[in-house]
Amino acid sequence: MNEFTTYRLPNGIRGIHRCVRSNVAHCALIVNAGSRDELTAEYGLAHFTEHAFFKGTQRRRAWQVNCRLENLGGELNAFTTKEDTTIHATTLRGDFPKAAELIADIAFRSTFPDRELEREKEVICDEINTYKDSPADLIYDTFEDMLFEGSELGHNILGGKKALARFDGNAIRRFTARTHTTDQMVFSSIGNIAPQTVEAVADRYFGWQPATVRTTHRTAPDVRPPFERTITKHTHQTHCIIGSRACGIDDPRRLPLALLVNILGGPSANSLLNVVVREKHGLSYNIEASYTPYTDCGIVATYFSCDHGNTEQCIELIEAQMRRLRTETLTPRRLSMAKKQFIAQLAISLESNEGYMLGTGKSFLLHEEVDTMEQVYAKIEALTAAQLAEVAEEVLGVDSKLIYR
C-alpha cells in the first residue's frame, strides 16, 4: 500500500494526500511563488499578497474569512518564503471540506479592497519594525542579501515601507496572474479521510479555476567572491554569521551536506560547536549551524552571539571545527552515531502531521514525487565518511563573514 495518494485536476493543480488515524485534518494550498519571483519594483509584494488574501473575497468580508474556521475550533494561516506561498488550515476531519472551500475562496476569489489593504499596510510596517529590532533575525537576511547580491534571492521577504505604500489591489492581481498559475500549485492534505473523498473535495473547490501556465523562469544567482563586513548596530552583544553558498534542492550533495551541518551545529548538545564554543569555553549561549536549500542553490550559515570581547575567539574556534570536518575523516563510530541522531531528529519532527503535510506538499510541488521516510532513512544510512569530507571541502572552505557590533 502506497503511503501517499496523488492526483491531478484537469486545470493542472496537483494533489497529494496521506491517510492517518486522527480526528484532526490538515490541508494546504502551496504555490510555487515567493519573493524571488518579484520584479524590482515589487519587492515585498509576495508577502503583502499573503496578508491581502485574508481581507475579503467575493463571498466573504474580512471578519468572515478569519472566523469561518475559528468558530469551528479550527485554524487558518499562511506564510511566505523566498520560493513559495502557503495557505493552510487545521480542522476536525468532519470540517475538512469547509477548510478546502475557504482556502480556494481566498486563493481565487479575493477582492483586495483598498480600505482593508491600507489598514494591513500598518500591520506590516509594524512587522518590519519588529524585525529590525531583532538583530538575530536581521543579520540572516542581511547576510543572504550580500551573498546573493544582484539576484532574485538578494532581497528580504518583507520588503520596505516605501514600496509597500505603493502597492494596491491591481499590483497584487498582476503579480498573482503572473506567478500563481495552476501548474505551480499543490493541494496537500493529511487526515483520516478516504483518498477518493479528498480528490472529490479538491475537484469541487479547486477544479473550476481555469488552467494557467507560468511563462517566466527563475535565474540562478551568480557566484560572488567571499566578503567580510562589520556593521555598527550598537547592540549589547556581537552577532555574527559565517557562511557560504551551497547546493540546491536537486543536488545529490544535499543530503550529505544536511548531515554534515547537523554534526557541526545542529540542535543537539553534542554538536561540535555546542561542545567547543558553549560547553567547553562558555563563550556563547546562542550558536547554531543551518543549511537552507533553494531550487537552484543554497546557503550554509553558522550564527552566534557573544560578548564583544569574545568575538575573535569564537570565530577562531568555529573555523577550527570547520577545518576539522574538511581534513579529518569521521570514524565509523562517529558517523554511525551522527546518522542515528539525524534520523531520530527527522522522525521526531515528523510526529507533527501538519509539518508532514507541508513537507510532502512542497516535495511533490518540486519533484512530482515524495520519498517515504523509510526511503529517506535508507539514503542517510548509505552515506559515507568520504562523501561528507568531500562536501565539507567544497562548502566549508570558502566562507564570508558578517558581524553586527
Side-chain angles (χ1 to χ4, degrees), residues 376-394:
V376 173
Y377 299 157
K379 289 180 180 180
I380 294 172
E381 290 288 4
L383 295 174
T384 66
Q387 286 177 294
L388 268 63
E390 182 179 352
V391 171
E393 181 62 32
E394 293 175 356

Side-chain angles (χ1 to χ4, degrees), residues 105-164:
D105 192 31
I106 63 180
F108 300 123
R109 294 194 180 95
S110 285
T111 54
F112 312 121
D114 291 337
R115 184 176 178 180
E116 291 285 351
L117 294 186
E118 291 305 311
R119 185 181 297 122
E120 196 62 22
K121 288 178 183 180
E122 296 299 319
V123 173
I124 297 177
C125 283
D126 185 63
E127 185 178 357
I128 292 173
N129 290 336
T130 301
Y131 158 79
K132 288 183 176 179
D133 281 342
S134 175
D137 295 327
L138 183 61
I139 194 170
Y140 271 97
D141 278 346
T142 305
F143 182 81
E144 197 159 326
D145 290 352
M146 293 177 177
L147 194 68
F148 297 129
E149 183 179 4
S151 77
E152 301 163 351
L153 291 168
H155 64 278
N156 73 63
I157 295 168
L158 295 179
K161 295 179 183 179
K162 290 183 179 179
L164 181 65

Side-chain angles (χ1 to χ4, degrees), residues 163 274 308 310 348 357:
N274 267 301
H308 296 305
N310 293 331
I348 291 171
M357 177 271 300

Side-chain angles (χ1 to χ4, degrees), residues 242 260-266 268-290 301-304 314-325 334:
I242 304 171
L260 186 73
V261 170
N262 199 59
I263 294 170
L264 176 65
S268 297
N270 66 346
S271 71
L272 294 177
L273 297 183
N274 267 301
V275 169
V276 174
V277 179
R278 176 174 171 166
E279 300 300 331
K280 184 176 180 180
H281 290 87
L283 297 175
S284 175
Y285 176 72
N286 293 310
I287 184 163
E288 62 184 17
S290 60
T302 295
Y303 161 82
F304 70 90
C314 283
I315 292 174
E316 289 175 6
L317 291 171
I318 291 167
E319 291 181 338
Q321 295 308 309
M322 290 180 175
R323 186 164 53 250
R324 178 182 173 188
L325 288 173
R334 183 69 180 91

Side-chain angles (χ1 to χ4, degrees), residues 297-402:
C297 62
I299 179 171
V300 165
T302 295
Y303 161 82
F304 70 90
S305 60
C306 67
D307 291 340
H308 296 305
N310 293 331
T311 305
E312 295 306 320
Q313 187 179 359
C314 283
I315 292 174
E316 289 175 6
L317 291 171
I318 291 167
E319 291 181 338
Q321 295 308 309
M322 290 180 175
R323 186 164 53 250
R324 178 182 173 188
L325 288 173
R326 295 199 310 271
T327 58
E328 299 179 15
T329 304
L330 291 175
T331 65
R333 181 175 179 274
R334 183 69 180 91
L335 180 60
S336 177
M337 288 175 57
K339 290 176 180 179
K340 288 179 180 178
Q341 184 181 66
F342 194 38
I343 288 171
Q345 289 173 354
L346 289 174
I348 291 171
S349 70
L350 293 173
E351 280 293 294
S352 163
N353 282 338
E354 181 181 50
Y356 205 149
M357 177 271 300
L358 293 172
T360 56
K362 179 67 180 292
S363 181
F364 190 57
L365 177 69
L366 297 178
H367 305 122
E368 292 279 349
E369 62 181 9
V370 178
D371 286 339
T372 66
M373 291 317 302
E374 287 70 22
Q375 290 172 318
V376 173
Y377 299 157
K379 289 180 180 180
I380 294 172
E381 290 288 4
L383 295 174
T384 66
Q387 286 177 294
L388 268 63
E390 182 179 352
V391 171
E393 181 62 32
E394 293 175 356
V395 178
L396 301 182
V398 184
D399 299 303
S400 297
K401 296 184 186 72
L402 174 62

